[in-house]
Amino acid sequence: MEHAAVVPEAPVRRKRGRPPKNASKAGVSKPSVSTVEKVDRSPTNEEQGSGDGSYDAFDDHAPKAKRKAAIRAAGWKEDQSLIDVIKHNGRVINHAVKKWIERYELDPKPATIEILMLLFEACGAKYKLEVASFEETNVDDVVVSLVELAKKGEIEDNFNSKQKELKNFKENLASFWDNLVIECQNGPLFDKFLFEKCMDYAIALSCTPPRVYRHVASLVGLQLVTSLINVAKMLSGQRETTQRQLNTEKKKNNDGPRLESLNKRLSQTHEKITTMEEMMRKLFKGLFMHRYRDVDPEIRMSCISSLGNWILLYPSLFLQDLYLKYLGWTLNDKSPGVRKASIIALQNLYEVDDNVPSLGLFTERFCSRMIELADDIDIAVAVSAIGLLKQLLRHQLLTDDELGPLYDLLIDEPPLIRRAIGELVYDHLIAQKIKSSHSGRKDGEEESSEVHLGRMLQILREFPDDPMLSTYVIDDVWDNMKAMKDWKCIISMLLDENPHIELTDVDATNLVRLLYASARKAVGDKIVPAADGRKQYYTKVQKLIKWAWDWLVFKPESVSFATLVSILSISSQVVTMETFENNRRKITTAMMKKYPQLLHKYIADKAKISSLVEIMGLLKLELFSLQRQDQNFKAILELIVDAFFKHGEKDTLRSCIRVITFCSTDSPADLQDYAQNKLKDLENDLIIKLKAAIKEVEVKCFLLLNMYLHVAWSLTFIDVESPESSINELLSKRATLFEQLECFINELPNAPQEGRIGNLLSYRVCVILADLWCLFENSRFSSTKLHRLGYHPDISSVEKFWKLSQQLLSISDETEEEDSNEEYIEDTNRDVVMIAAAKLVIHRVTKDYLAAEIISHFVMHGASITNIIKNFITSLRKTAKDEMPSIFFEALKKTYQRQALGNESLASNTYSDCKDLSSRLSATFGGAARNKHKWEILKIIKDGISYAFSDAPKHLSFLEVAVLPFVTKLPISDLLEILKDVQKRSDKVNINEDPSGWRPYSVFVEYLQEKCAKNDLQDEKEGNLPKRRGRPRKAMNVEGKRLFDGHESSEEDSISGSEQDDQDEEEDEEAQQPLIHTFRASASKLRSMRVAQPDSSARQAGSGRTTGTDH
């Protein structure tokens, strides 16, 4: 286009209004077709109704008879209107335009009215202009009349119609105006009448309320600019050629008619270009500047797409910030389609290196927004934005700091985004294509696989503790990185065959993971889980292809080849089953001889062995037999069996069993027997080892149980009259049993976890020891001849017993959900341990230490343990009523201290367990029991306040999490005394020196002051109220009359009664809690609700993806 031929000096005879013979070559827009082709073929089915706006047979150089025949074949009718041509016969648009030009040359006014009528009819309105009054007709008056027609519903929407015959309406309409500009470039285009009228009406219609008017007018106006640009580019080429010829003539010093002709032609061409640029500016200001903000996203999108095309085609006018800013503004558009159109337009601009210097200020202004769009909520927009950022990187317009947030998208959910970022990472960090131009590397020269793998390992070092994140990165980069398929290179690096490459242990682990993941990808496996966490399923097409392929391979004689080919032909998959099979062969060939060396080198490394073993399941086992590698196959199986017995990790064991089973079923016949024998031998060895391990634990449990039963049996058969000999024998047996149990409670808490079988011994020791202490409790024998049998454990033994019990209580909390049977067994054993510990307190074996420890676990281990401890508290009230406040306080203190040790940062410690325990314990004083146990509540509160101020401000949070729930159970009169006591303790302390440390104190005091102030206000209101006349109001929620008035409720009745009113009590507590507690409870509920939501909705709501805002 830039080097169009010069118009020859001699005048060329042609029809007026027609372009030169080579004009259409120089700059027609895409919808139009060159009119210089010869008619050497008839129209095909594809051409008919294609809407391309032209017909190749209509050529000036073709014989006249052939032209007429082609026109008739295309369906041309002399009386056919322009709107009918656009609607139904796009193939004759070029011919219709030529005919119209002939009419325009004869009489411009009727022809102009015909074009304007076409514009109105394209909008769906029927409005007639009169030739006589055309010059006096005002554009605004006509447009107002057209709007009135739309309000009355007297228009039809051809633009958005779903009718089959109008499917090419938009393309045909654009093609018509494009052909019109091209055909008028040597005449009507510059008469300042025809196109001035057309532009005025298009601009006016584009600003009207009816959407269809704006659609049509926008399409026409935007196409006019595009067509004018094509003509201007052609004329610019002619101008440059004319200028060169003129310069040549001036150098010859030839003053003659040729020089004068060239000067005249240059001046005329320049004038035409200037005129067309003015027309472009008029349409831009009148139409584009209003419609790029239209409420219809389709109009906005077409405006931005057209602007990007204009800047690309005609940078001399449009490549400046005056026009570029609209592309930047629409990056924030609320419609994804508009944002994507703007991004694609910018991509095309940055692809041209000559455009980059002019884009400097624009890049600086909108670079941050381009980076944000890589995390757009719309996936298509995000992928396009990542492609734009690649262009910016290619021109080194982004820094590494700006790229940092993009790398987080490597583990994003949508695969399209991950792949796009993976391509960017490969180009920028691994292949370093952007830096290659400055590194001295020649074009086309590729770096070795070792170099690329080394850079990939450097990236994977960022994820040392999470193999899944590494897998995501490998999956994202795999399609672009050929080095991942260089199996020999990867194996060579793992075996340290290259002395110049030294792998660290972390690098070797990552390289093994890369080898396994890459091999899986090569054979068609999915290495990244589905976004919704469900199992990956094949589509119907993929299943059919796989079935057909397997049938073709294994049963070729049972079905015709033509049938299978027809089935396989439906596949649209990029990678076929044949490709997967070829990859499997390549991996097997590369691994066959080196596999035993890899297993032997890394067999003791638990981080690598599982992935290495799994690779065997991806190989084509037939090749071992075909290439006579039977010994290597056997060596591999031997090493896998050794690995099975050397490691105890679940993943490694499963991998070994899975691979050996695979070899025993899928290997060739001569190797299958060997694999099956290996599997059978492994099963036998495993059964023997398991029996030995189980037998050892079970024997210990059985012996302890027998020893205990023997001691208990001996106690029942003591001769009361002469018990000395029997007592001595029993004491000896008991001492032996205690010695064994003491040994176990010393060793088991520090022994390694051995699963349920190993825990069985711990459960048995705890239960037998508790039963034995209860059996020989001192009070049973103190006043009898058997007083020597009385036994009281020392505090150290009780502490060891409880340490082992706590360890067993926590085991069930860690049981995996998938092992439901295991979880049930562990829960049952946990209940037994807690009952055994509670029995020691109820039977008065030990109380001072163990009672508070048991109650401190009230809310930690589920409903079953909670019920056991609730019954324990009920029983304890009967035997140790006066000691309950001290026990409750000690339980709260132990829970508080346990959480303080678990999280030493007071700022981030919420003491949730302590808060829950305090709420549950304070609830036991609710209802009728509240007033009866008032002294217990007061004692717990006073002890709690003393403990909180014992090390202030370190322990002040105890006031808020442990004491405050009990305060809510007291009447207002007692709160005043508590408030005075607390304030007195802080009189000599400046709490402003450490406001965060004294915050719990402030919350506690503010609550007390608030309750006291409310009470004073209530008393004042009640004193001022006038006496109410009439019948007294009916009391609400009055308790039912007791059946037996003389019956006094027991302690147990009071607790059960309070449990029945749990819901009312919780509401009362919630109303009495400080405001800050309400906020925290609400926040915790919101957090729990948010965690429970699925990931797909999390990506929409909280992933940080950006959406555009309407400019």
Side-chain angles (χ1 to χ4, degrees):
M1 292 182 182
E2 299 295 336
H3 304 287
V6 186
V7 179
E9 283 188 88
V12 178
R13 183 179 179 183
R14 66 174 69 91
K15 294 183 179 180
R16 282 173 33 186
R18 304 293 177 85
K21 183 171 67 174
N22 53 1
S24 60
K25 289 184 179 180
V28 295
S29 63
K30 185 176 180 181
S32 63
V33 177
S34 174
T35 58
V36 299
E37 297 179 2
K38 302 293 183 181
V39 179
D40 56 357
R41 58 186 175 87
S42 60
T44 62
N45 293 334
E46 290 80 1
E47 291 172 328
Q48 294 181 8
S50 62
D52 57 359
S54 64
Y55 185 60
D56 294 344
F58 305 155
D59 189 86
D60 289 339
H61 303 278
K64 190 173 182 180
K66 287 187 177 181
R67 284 207 312 272
K68 290 183 178 180
I71 293 169
R72 287 194 299 269
W76 169 256
K77 299 178 182 178
E78 292 296 336
D79 59 346
Q80 194 171 19
S81 65
L82 294 179
I83 191 62
D84 289 336
V85 171
I86 292 173
K87 283 183 176 181
H88 309 297
N89 202 356
R91 298 168 56 209
V92 298
I93 285 177
N94 185 263
H95 182 71
V97 169
K98 293 177 180 179
K99 287 292 186 181
W100 177 88
I101 290 176
E102 292 177 359
R103 295 195 295 274
Y104 183 84
E105 290 173 349
L106 294 174
D107 192 351
K109 285 186 181 180
T112 303
I113 292 175
E114 186 180 0
I115 284 291
L116 296 178
M117 293 284 290
L118 165 67
L119 179 60
F120 302 156
E121 290 173 340
C123 293
K126 294 182 179 181
Y127 185 85
K128 188 174 182 181
L129 294 172
E130 299 295 335
V131 177
S133 59
F134 177 64
E135 292 184 359
E136 291 79 17
T137 302
N138 187 278
V139 175
D140 293 338
D141 294 339
V142 174
V143 171
V144 169
S145 300
L146 291 171
V147 172
E148 290 298 326
L149 290 176
K151 289 181 179 179
K152 296 176 182 177
E154 297 177 1
I155 62 172
E156 56 179 343
D157 190 353
N158 299 317
F159 192 87
N160 299 304
S161 176
K162 301 298 182 182
Q163 297 180 22
K164 186 176 180 181
E165 59 182 6
L166 295 176
K167 65 178 181 179
N168 296 318
F169 179 81
K170 299 177 185 178
E171 292 80 1
N172 291 343
L173 183 61
S175 176
F176 177 87
W177 288 95
D178 180 60
N179 277 272
L180 183 64
V181 173
I182 297 300
E183 294 292 338
C184 293
Q185 62 181 294
N186 289 319
L189 184 59
F190 304 103
D191 63 5
K192 296 185 179 181
F193 174 74
L194 170 64
F195 280 91
E196 287 295 328
K197 287 289 184 181
C198 293
M199 289 190 295
D200 290 342
Y201 278 95
I203 292 172
L205 285 171
S206 70
C207 300
T208 57
R211 186 165 300 193
V212 64
Y213 290 1
R214 301 201 309 277
H215 271 293
V216 173
S218 298
L219 184 148
V220 171
L222 297 175
Q223 181 60 48
L224 281 175
V225 177
T226 303
S227 302
L228 289 171
I229 287 174
N230 289 329
V231 175
K233 286 187 66 177
M234 180 197 69
L235 293 178
S236 296
Q238 292 181 0
R239 182 174 60 181
E240 292 176 3
T241 304
T242 304
Q243 184 66 55
R244 287 196 300 269
Q245 292 176 343
L246 183 61
N247 294 337
T248 302
E249 291 296 326
K250 287 181 178 180
K251 288 179 182 179
K252 296 179 181 179
N253 295 322
N254 291 334
D255 295 333
R258 178 169 176 78
L259 186 63
E260 183 180 353
S261 174
L262 289 173
N263 276 319
K264 182 179 179 181
R265 188 192 312 167
L266 182 63
S267 175
Q268 291 175 347
T269 304
H270 180 73
E271 183 180 352
K272 289 181 178 180
I273 293 174
T274 304
T275 301
M276 284 190 292
E277 289 181 351
E278 288 299 324
M279 296 167 69
M280 296 178 204
R281 292 189 184 96
K282 180 177 180 178
L283 285 168
F284 185 87
K285 292 179 181 179
L287 189 145
F288 177 89
M289 289 180 62
H290 299 285
R291 296 284 63 79
Y292 90 98
R293 298 181 298 181
D294 197 280
V295 295
D296 192 311
E298 186 177 345
I299 295 177
R300 301 201 303 272
M301 187 166 56
S302 61
C303 287
I304 295 304
S305 299
S306 298
L307 178 60
N309 192 32
W310 301 341
I311 300 174
L312 191 65
L313 291 175
Y314 205 56
S316 61
L317 175 62
F318 289 102
L319 187 57
Q320 49 184 312
D321 294 331
L322 176 65
Y323 301 100
L324 289 170
K325 64 184 179 182
Y326 296 100
L327 295 180
W329 289 343
T330 49
L331 291 174
N332 294 291
D333 195 280
K334 63 183 178 182
S335 170
V338 180
R339 297 199 299 273
K340 183 179 178 182
S342 180
I343 293 170
I344 292 175
L346 291 173
Q347 269 186 283
N348 296 332
L349 292 179
Y350 281 103
E351 280 181 2
V352 181
D353 295 342
D354 294 338
N355 292 341
V356 175
S358 301
L359 291 167
L361 185 60
F362 174 86
T363 305
E364 182 180 353
R365 168 66 179 82
F366 294 101
C367 180
S368 59
R369 179 56 186 162
M370 297 181 203
I371 296 173
E372 290 175 359
L373 284 171
D375 196 22
D376 194 87
I377 192 172
D378 186 83
I379 296 176
V381 174
V383 172
S384 301
I386 294 168
L388 174 59
L389 294 179
K390 285 179 60 181
Q391 293 293 339
L392 297 180
L393 276 173
R394 186 170 68 88
H395 298 294
Q396 297 184 344
L397 298 177
L398 292 179
T399 63
D400 291 338
D401 292 338
E402 291 172 326
L403 285 176
L406 295 179
Y407 298 145
D408 295 337
L409 300 178
L410 284 169
I411 55 174
D412 208 358
E413 279 185 12
L416 291 175
I417 294 179
R418 291 193 289 104
R419 299 287 192 279
I421 290 292
E423 186 177 353
L424 185 147
V425 168
Y426 174 75
D427 291 343
H428 182 55
L429 298 180
I430 299 176
Q432 296 186 355
K433 294 179 180 179
I434 296 153
K435 302 177 182 178
S436 62
S437 58
H438 303 278
S439 62
R441 196 166 77 232
K442 298 179 181 179
D443 293 339
E445 181 182 352
E446 295 186 359
E447 294 175 317
S448 63
S449 296
E450 288 88 349
V451 175
H452 285 189
L453 289 170
R455 292 169 183 162
M456 184 65 182
L457 292 176
Q458 188 175 357
I459 296 173
L460 295 179
R461 286 183 203 135
E462 301 295 327
F463 316 101
D465 301 325
D466 197 335
M468 182 51 66
L469 295 183
S470 301
T471 305
Y472 269 94
V473 177
I474 293 169
D475 182 65
D476 300 339
V477 183
W478 191 85
D479 291 331
N480 304 287
M481 187 172 173
K482 293 181 180 179
M484 283 193 191
K485 297 95 169 174
D486 193 343
W487 316 113
K488 293 182 179 179
C489 178
I490 298 175
I491 296 169
S492 175
M493 292 175 67
L494 285 171
L495 293 175
D496 298 328
E497 294 179 351
N498 190 339
H500 301 292
I501 300 176
E502 294 184 4
L503 294 179
T504 64
D505 184 64
V506 174
D507 287 342
T509 301
N510 287 330
L511 191 56
V512 168
R513 292 172 182 166
L514 184 147
L515 174 61
Y516 174 50
S518 182
R520 288 183 62 193
K521 287 278 291 182
V523 300
D525 288 352
K526 304 288 186 181
I527 65 174
V528 172
D532 55 2
R534 294 182 297 180
K535 182 180 177 181
Q536 295 279 356
Y537 291 98
Y538 289 110
T539 63
K540 291 182 179 180
V541 173
Q542 290 172 321
K543 289 180 179 179
L544 187 59
I545 294 167
K546 189 177 186 304
W547 168 82
W549 177 260
D550 292 340
W551 204 331
L552 180 63
V553 172
F554 298 107
K555 299 180 180 180
E557 72 284 350
S558 61
V559 66
S560 66
F561 182 77
T563 303
L564 287 174
V565 169
S566 63
I567 295 174
L568 292 173
S569 64
I570 67 174
S571 171
S572 60
Q573 306 295 321
V574 178
V575 181
T576 62
M577 298 299 296
E578 184 178 1
T579 302
F580 294 153
E581 289 299 316
N582 290 335
N583 291 337
R584 198 183 296 272
R585 290 190 187 94
K586 292 178 182 178
I587 298 170
T588 306
T589 303
M591 292 285 296
M592 195 179 296
K593 297 180 181 179
K594 302 290 185 178
Y595 203 173
Q597 299 177 38
L598 285 173
L599 290 173
H600 188 269
K601 180 178 180 179
Y602 297 109
I603 193 170
D605 194 328
K606 64 180 182 181
K608 303 178 182 66
I609 190 62
S610 178
S611 298
L612 280 176
V613 169
E614 289 282 5
I615 294 175
M616 186 67 177
L618 305 175
L619 304 184
K620 197 169 183 63
L621 300 182
E622 305 93 82
L623 295 181
F624 281 93
S625 180
L626 295 175
Q627 298 187 15
R628 299 181 180 180
Q629 297 294 327
D630 297 6
Q631 294 302 318
N632 282 332
F633 179 85
K634 296 177 181 179
I636 292 170
L637 284 184
E638 289 283 354
L639 290 167
I640 292 175
V641 172
D642 291 345
F644 178 83
F645 288 109
K646 282 186 177 180
H647 296 276
E649 293 78 17
K650 180 170 59 177
D651 291 340
T652 303
L653 298 179
R654 288 178 175 175
S655 298
C656 293
I657 291 297
R658 187 160 46 242
V659 167
I660 296 174
T661 304
F662 170 74
C663 293
S664 65
T665 56
D666 287 33
S667 56
D670 51 343
L671 299 177
Q672 194 171 24
D673 293 340
Y674 180 82
Q676 289 175 349
N677 291 333
K678 271 294 173 187
L679 180 61
K680 187 175 182 180
D681 293 343
L682 185 145
E683 291 174 353
N684 294 334
D685 293 343
L686 183 61
I687 290 172
I688 294 172
K689 292 178 184 289
L690 286 176
K691 284 183 177 180
I694 294 173
K695 185 176 181 181
E696 182 180 354
V697 174
E698 288 185 344
V699 166
K700 291 178 181 178
C701 295
F702 183 71
L703 288 176
L704 287 175
L705 180 60
N706 279 342
M707 291 175 70
Y708 167 73
L709 293 176
H710 184 62
V711 170
W713 185 264
S714 300
L715 179 61
T716 58
F717 282 92
I718 291 179
D719 187 357
V720 181
E721 298 298 331
S722 55
E724 291 301 324
S725 60
S726 301
I727 290 175
N728 292 334
E729 184 180 356
L730 179 57
L731 288 175
S732 175
K733 295 176 182 178
R734 190 183 72 179
T736 302
L737 180 56
F738 272 134
E739 182 180 350
Q740 292 294 327
L741 293 172
E742 186 75 20
C743 179
F744 281 124
I745 64 173
N746 287 330
E747 295 177 357
L748 288 176
N750 302 319
Q753 297 294 329
E754 299 178 358
R756 186 171 63 85
I757 298 299
N759 295 330
L760 181 63
L761 181 59
S762 300
Y763 289 124
R764 187 59 56 87
V765 169
C766 286
V767 173
I768 290 177
L769 189 58
D771 287 343
L772 200 60
W773 283 344
C774 291
L775 187 62
F776 291 98
E777 195 268 323
N778 261 331
S779 61
R780 295 185 61 188
F781 306 99
S782 59
S783 58
T784 66
K785 294 180 181 180
L786 306 177
H787 62 87
R788 291 173 56 198
L789 294 177
Y791 181 82
H792 184 77
D794 55 31
I795 188 64
S796 63
S797 297
V798 176
E799 289 176 350
K800 293 175 184 177
F801 164 82
W802 182 244
K803 180 180 179 182
L804 182 59
S805 299
Q806 280 185 306
Q807 184 176 337
L808 294 173
L809 289 172
S810 63
I811 286 174
S812 183
D813 296 336
E814 301 169 359
T815 304
E816 296 184 7
E817 295 181 0
E818 61 183 25
D819 301 328
S820 57
N821 293 331
E822 295 285 340
E823 185 177 4
Y824 173 76
I825 294 171
E826 296 293 349
D827 286 346
T828 304
N829 290 333
R830 184 175 59 175
D831 294 346
V832 171
V833 171
M834 182 57 75
I835 291 172
K839 186 166 60 175
L840 292 176
V841 179
I842 299 301
H843 286 271
R844 302 176 183 176
V845 175
T846 177
K847 181 171 59 178
D848 297 337
Y849 170 77
L850 205 54
E853 288 286 356
I854 292 173
I855 294 176
S856 69
H857 287 258
F858 198 0
V859 293
M860 292 178 59
H861 305 292
S864 180
I865 295 295
T866 299
N867 289 330
I868 292 173
I869 297 178
K870 185 185 295 184
N871 293 325
F872 169 72
I873 293 173
T874 302
S875 300
L876 198 60
R877 283 188 185 277
K878 298 177 182 179
T879 59
K881 178 180 179 181
D882 296 339
E883 300 177 29
M884 291 306 296
S886 300
I887 294 174
F888 278 7
F889 168 69
E890 288 297 324
L892 291 169
K893 189 167 73 172
K894 289 179 183 296
T895 305
Y896 177 83
Q897 292 172 345
R898 189 188 305 128
Q899 285 197 278
L901 291 175
N903 189 354
E904 296 180 358
S905 175
L906 295 178
S908 60
N909 201 338
T910 60
Y911 297 99
S912 58
D913 287 348
C914 184
K915 192 180 300 182
D916 293 341
L917 177 62
S918 180
S919 298
R920 295 301 295 267
L921 293 180
S922 64
T924 62
F925 298 114
R930 181 181 299 183
N931 295 328
K932 188 172 184 178
H933 300 290
K934 177 180 174 181
W935 71 272
E936 297 181 30
I937 301 173
L938 284 171
K939 184 165 189 338
I940 294 172
I941 292 173
K942 291 178 180 178
D943 291 345
I945 292 173
S946 300
Y947 173 73
F949 281 94
S950 64
D951 189 6
K954 183 178 181 181
H955 292 162
L956 285 178
S957 54
F958 191 77
L959 290 174
E960 184 181 358
V961 300
V963 178
L964 198 56
F966 288 91
V967 172
T968 62
K969 305 298 179 182
L970 291 177
I972 302 298
S973 58
D974 294 316
L975 297 185
L976 291 172
E977 297 181 5
I978 296 173
L979 177 61
K980 293 177 182 178
D981 181 36
V982 174
Q983 290 178 333
K984 184 178 180 181
R985 293 174 184 266
S986 61
D987 283 344
K988 299 180 181 180
V989 181
N990 185 7
I991 64 176
N992 294 325
E993 293 181 355
D994 186 8
S996 61
W998 285 84
R999 186 198 59 79
Y1001 164 81
S1002 301
V1003 172
F1004 188 76
V1005 170
E1006 288 174 4
Y1007 172 75
L1008 294 176
Q1009 292 174 341
E1010 180 184 354
K1011 297 298 291 185
C1012 293
K1014 285 184 178 180
N1015 183 64
D1016 294 341
L1017 182 61
Q1018 185 67 24
D1019 291 343
E1020 182 179 350
K1021 288 182 178 180
E1022 290 177 356
N1024 295 332
L1025 287 175
K1027 185 175 180 182
R1028 186 177 183 275
R1029 296 181 179 181
R1031 188 174 56 184
R1033 288 179 179 174
K1034 184 177 180 181
M1036 302 300 293
N1037 297 328
V1038 178
E1039 293 185 1
K1041 185 176 181 181
R1042 294 185 180 276
L1043 295 176
F1044 303 96
D1045 295 333
H1047 177 67
E1048 294 182 0
S1049 62
S1050 63
E1051 299 292 336
E1052 185 173 357
D1053 293 335
S1054 65
I1055 293 178
S1056 62
S1058 65
E1059 291 172 5
Q1060 294 173 3
D1061 297 332
D1062 272 346
Q1063 185 174 357
D1064 295 336
E1065 287 302 319
E1066 289 175 3
E1067 292 176 359
D1068 293 342
E1069 292 168 22
E1070 200 170 312
Q1072 296 174 4
Q1073 291 289 337
L1075 189 59
I1076 190 170
H1077 283 193
T1078 305
F1079 289 152
R1080 288 177 178 169
S1082 300
S1084 64
K1085 289 178 182 178
L1086 288 175
R1087 283 195 298 271
S1088 65
M1089 290 171 65
R1090 183 168 66 248
V1091 170
Q1093 289 176 355
D1095 293 339
S1096 58
S1097 63
R1099 173 175 180 81
Q1100 292 283 344
S1103 63
R1105 294 201 178 285
T1106 60
T1107 59
T1109 58
D1110 197 8
H1111 174 71

